[in-house]
Amino acid sequence: MAVSIDDVRVVARLARLEFSEKQEELLTNELTAVLEYMATLDEVDTEGIAPMTHVRAVAQGVRDDHVKAGIGTDDALRNAPDTYADYFRVPKVLGG
Amino acid sequence: MYEAVIGLEVHCQLKTHSKAFSPDSTSYGARPNSCVDPVSLGHPGTLPVLNRRVIECALKLGLATRCRIARRSVMARKHYFYPDLPKGYQISQFREPICTGGFVDIGRRIRLTRIHIEEDAGKSLHDRDPHATLLDLNRCGVPLLEIVTEPDLRTAKEASVFLQKMRQLVRYLDISDGNMEEGSLRCDANVSVRKASSSGLGVKTEIKNMNSFRHVERAIDHEVARQIRVLEAGGTVTEQTRLFDAAERQTRQMRSKEQAHDYRYFPDPDLPPVEVTEGMRRAILLTLPELPDARRHRYEEDLGLPAYDAGVLVEERHIAEYFEATHAELVRVVRDADPAACAKVVSNLVMGDVMRALKENRGAAFALAPERLAELAHLRMAGKLSSTGAQELFARMSREDGSAAAVAARHRLLQVGDEEALRPVAAQVLRDHPKQVGQYARGKRTVLGFFIGQVMRRFDGSPDPRRVRELLLLMLDEKVS
């Protein structure tokens, strides 16, 4: 289960992170080690067992459709690095 | 000859009070960033809890389109980076959606692949500031249903008809207002072309950003033509996402396959699977209203209405229900009522005066309660109102209290049928116009129209013109001979 340097670059791009070549190398080794550790689980025979995505076998955790006032514009914007009027302001984005 | 192969992805914003996973309000047009809370803003350490009404809406639409309902479906995280998505992922359903299969009938059966639950993102404003993008996150977490069709559509027109049908359906089910201008209904299209004789699929492109029925039709037509031009010139279509530019009336490339997103879906550990019991399923099934197609069929078959009338009346659920309430009342009050005859009279009134008044008052309530419209219809059926009289009575009744008969009497709108009332007035008219009587005597029969008009005028237009004509003919013959 070796992670390649290209894998690291793909993941970095998806996460909008930028690394130096040295850092990329370091991460390649570290991520490989993490995945090798997790690969221990492959030794367990899971034939015929449904994947478990949630620890608690809960009944529906749902709520009724009632409105509770949110935190309001001023508080919503309080921690933002940049704002304009009632808006968050971020670097120009184009396309999707 | 080429043939287009089209599949649609329709996003429908649900009519809930609070958001899909948090209790902040979904109201449209509020102050920017005022309808947000730590969950919808994606603050660390917050926990989403699904809104029960969202499941109910999904079940309604799924059952109305004959989908299979999953007893257990899973909320997943779909990751992508964009400023209008503060968590860095959208909660959506991926491998295990709540509804699969199903179909919508547009004259042909269009199969649905799936219907799933997801949350909306915020709104970006790109044109307010030349150097920055502004964000309003009020829409973050607003619940959506995504409806995905099989590639069963063949023309841009069919795609638009399908979308209109979807809009009608979600409005009937009262799960969405279906308003395309406000973005409650949005549509992406997957479009490819192939030789009409072939059954394989060509390379498809995805068109985004179509926010009206007309845009959908235009954008698909342009994209189909573009792909055919590429193929005819010996080129190949490349898989890509294209944006429809309404002003330029063309699609342009947004991103190609190589730049396509890698969403890294996985089940959201914060949200337990959505369980639908048989009891829930059955309870929702019982709340489903009669759907437009069934209703139209019944109007034509049982009430004998023309297809045109039936189509207009069922278009909106509240109008269909108003028509039915009025019709039921009319059938109740008319002795030995013929339901079909009653239906046509009510249909004419609803398609005419009622819908005209609704249009003029834009979305206001019905001008008359069904009982009062039935009274008016009753007078009309009994021959006591002319068509113009009915129109005027409708207008008077929407401003004045009182039964139809009382209001009509107050404004002398009832047709004067009996000879006793007509004869003295007709006699007076003939006495007042000896010159015209002389012309008639000399053979100028066209002056009859003049006399009819004079009599009608003195009665405020209410007598039945045929009876006036008969009476005048008799009286003139007596006078002239």
Side-chain angles (χ1 to χ4, degrees):
Chain A
M1 187 61 81
V3 173
S4 73
I5 197 153
D6 285 337
D7 292 334
V8 171
R9 285 175 184 153
V10 168
V11 174
R13 187 175 60 77
L14 289 171
R16 302 292 190 276
L17 294 172
E18 221 174 331
F19 297 116
S20 66
E21 256 179 63
K22 214 166 159 193
Q23 285 172 311
E24 283 173 352
E25 244 167 72
L26 181 72
L27 284 163
T28 306
N29 294 332
E30 287 189 344
L31 288 175
T32 300
V34 169
L35 289 185
E36 274 170 0
Y37 174 64
M38 295 305 288
T40 316
L41 290 172
D42 290 343
E43 291 164 19
V44 183
D45 180 11
T46 54
E47 190 65 31
I49 296 172
M52 187 187 76
T53 51
H54 299 81
V55 180
R56 295 187 304 157
V58 234
Q60 204 93 285
V62 294
R63 30 172 282 274
D64 291 328
D65 184 24
H66 295 315
V67 175
K68 257 195 261 168
I71 60 175
T73 306
D74 296 340
D75 275 347
L77 298 177
R78 195 177 299 280
N79 290 331
D82 194 8
T83 61
Y84 173 82
D86 288 338
Y87 297 94
F88 293 91
R89 188 171 186 271
V90 298
K92 192 90 184 159
V93 202
L94 288 172
Chain B
M1 267 308 282
Y2 290 89
E3 169 181 74
V5 177
I6 303 156
L8 295 182
E9 290 168 23
V10 181
H11 287 90
C12 169
Q13 187 177 311
L14 297 178
K15 219 160 101 180
T16 58
H17 301 296
S18 65
K19 293 186 178 172
F21 302 106
S22 54
D24 37 339
S25 166
T26 55
S27 59
Y28 180 83
R31 181 183 171 195
N33 295 301
S34 63
C35 301
V36 289
D37 81 351
V39 176
S40 51
L41 288 175
H43 287 182
T46 54
L47 206 56
V49 183
L50 181 57
N51 183 340
R52 185 197 312 277
R53 167 106 175 117
V54 174
I55 307 175
E56 291 166 0
C57 291
L59 289 182
K60 279 189 183 181
L61 186 59
L63 289 169
T65 52
R66 314 287 175 86
C67 285
R68 283 185 301 280
I69 308 294
R71 299 176 68 104
R72 179 180 183 279
S73 61
V74 172
M75 308 305 307
R77 293 184 179 183
K78 175 183 181 178
H79 298 83
Y80 63 95
F81 257 112
Y82 204 73
D84 63 13
L85 188 72
K87 292 197 298 297
Y89 60 85
Q90 177 193 28
I91 303 176
S92 179
Q93 295 193 304
F94 185 49
R95 287 228 170 76
E96 297 174 75
I98 188 161
C99 307
T100 52
F103 61 88
V104 169
D105 206 336
I106 60 160
R108 255 167 7 89
R109 189 174 277 202
I110 305 303
R111 292 169 299 157
L112 301 184
T113 313
R114 58 190 279 157
I115 299 173
H116 70 248
I117 298 168
E118 62 183 31
E119 61 173 341
D120 210 344
K123 204 164 73 186
S124 312
L125 290 90
H126 300 291
D127 49 4
R128 289 274 182 90
D129 183 329
H131 308 296
T133 293
L134 301 181
L135 295 172
D136 174 6
L137 301 182
N138 281 347
R139 213 175 55 190
C140 274
V142 166
L144 305 175
L145 288 181
E146 178 171 337
I147 302 119
V148 183
T149 77
E150 292 289 305
D152 284 354
L153 298 154
R154 292 290 170 270
T155 63
K157 180 78 199 162
E158 276 192 349
S160 152
V161 169
F162 175 88
L163 201 58
Q164 288 174 48
K165 202 96 195 206
M166 260 346 279
R167 176 179 184 273
Q168 184 187 45
L169 194 55
V170 298
R171 287 170 62 85
Y172 254 76
L173 296 170
D174 199 27
I175 62 174
S176 173
D177 61 27
N179 189 330
M180 288 195 87
E181 281 162 33
E182 291 179 7
S184 304
L185 204 63
R186 283 168 263 162
C187 177
D188 301 339
N190 289 303
V191 178
S192 65
V193 298
R194 65 183 177 198
K195 282 267 161 55
S197 52
S198 104
S199 61
L201 290 176
V203 177
K204 68 175 181 191
T205 57
E206 184 180 12
I207 320 173
K208 288 189 173 292
N209 201 29
M210 300 176 290
N211 57 5
S212 76
F213 298 115
R214 202 177 336 146
H215 283 176
V216 169
E217 248 183 274
R218 278 200 186 142
I220 294 175
D221 269 337
H222 280 84
E223 180 56 17
V224 168
R226 189 193 68 86
Q227 290 188 15
I228 292 174
R229 274 200 309 275
V230 169
L231 294 177
E232 285 288 276
T236 49
V237 175
T238 48
E239 192 163 342
Q240 58 186 231
T241 302
R242 299 179 73 85
L243 267 186
F244 178 61
D245 186 328
E248 297 283 319
R249 291 199 186 176
Q250 62 180 18
T251 62
R252 56 188 161 80
Q253 179 166 348
M254 189 172 144
R255 59 174 175 252
S256 71
K257 182 80 190 306
E258 295 75 54
Q259 301 157 273
H261 289 304
D262 173 359
Y263 292 125
R264 292 151 293 146
Y265 281 100
F266 67 78
D268 192 322
D270 286 343
L271 287 157
V274 179
E275 310 268 0
V276 178
T277 62
E278 187 51 32
M280 282 167 73
R281 213 188 84 99
R282 211 171 297 154
I284 295 292
L285 200 54
L286 290 175
T287 67
L288 290 189
E290 185 183 24
L291 297 176
D293 286 346
R295 199 164 237 163
R296 192 172 60 231
H297 189 255
R298 183 164 60 82
Y299 287 5
E300 287 179 46
E301 294 300 309
D302 299 357
L303 299 179
L305 283 177
Y308 176 78
D309 292 40
V312 172
L313 293 173
V314 305
E315 181 58 35
E316 296 275 357
R317 180 176 166 186
H318 68 292
I319 289 177
E321 285 172 353
Y322 180 78
F323 163 78
E324 288 183 27
T326 307
H327 179 254
E329 177 65 13
L330 183 61
V331 168
R332 193 178 69 78
V333 296
V334 173
R335 189 175 301 165
D336 299 324
D338 168 12
C342 291
K344 188 56 188 154
V345 171
V346 177
S347 168
N348 288 345
L349 287 169
V350 171
M351 292 198 307
D353 295 319
V354 172
M355 290 180 73
R356 194 176 312 119
L358 280 180
K359 203 173 274 175
E360 280 162 10
N361 305 331
R362 282 195 68 90
F366 287 105
L368 301 184
E371 293 73 23
R372 297 184 80 213
L373 186 68
E375 288 171 3
L376 191 160
H378 194 180
L379 291 178
R380 179 91 177 105
M381 279 186 89
K384 291 181 181 164
L385 276 176
S386 65
S387 68
T388 47
Q391 213 169 54
E392 186 168 350
L393 180 55
F394 181 88
R396 296 274 186 193
M397 284 178 76
S398 51
R399 291 191 297 267
E400 297 172 26
D401 290 333
S403 71
V407 177
R410 194 180 303 153
H411 298 284
R412 299 201 295 159
L413 294 173
L414 293 177
Q415 275 190 143
V416 178
D418 53 317
E419 219 179 294
E420 268 174 59
L422 286 176
R423 185 175 280 273
V425 174
Q428 186 64 45
V429 165
L430 296 184
R431 272 199 301 280
D432 288 352
H433 299 92
K435 200 176 101 196
Q436 283 83 352
V437 174
Q439 289 172 343
Y440 185 86
R442 285 191 297 278
K444 194 180 172 197
R445 299 288 142 130
T446 48
V447 291
L448 184 60
F450 167 78
F451 292 126
I452 296 173
Q454 289 297 314
V455 175
M456 298 291 283
R457 188 183 302 168
R458 292 185 197 201
F459 275 108
D460 219 5
S462 59
D464 181 345
R466 274 170 310 178
R467 293 196 191 162
V468 174
R469 183 189 151 84
E470 282 162 20
L471 182 66
L472 279 167
L473 273 175
L474 277 171
M475 291 172 71
L476 281 165
D477 280 346
E478 282 168 21
K479 226 182 171 85
V480 172
S481 58

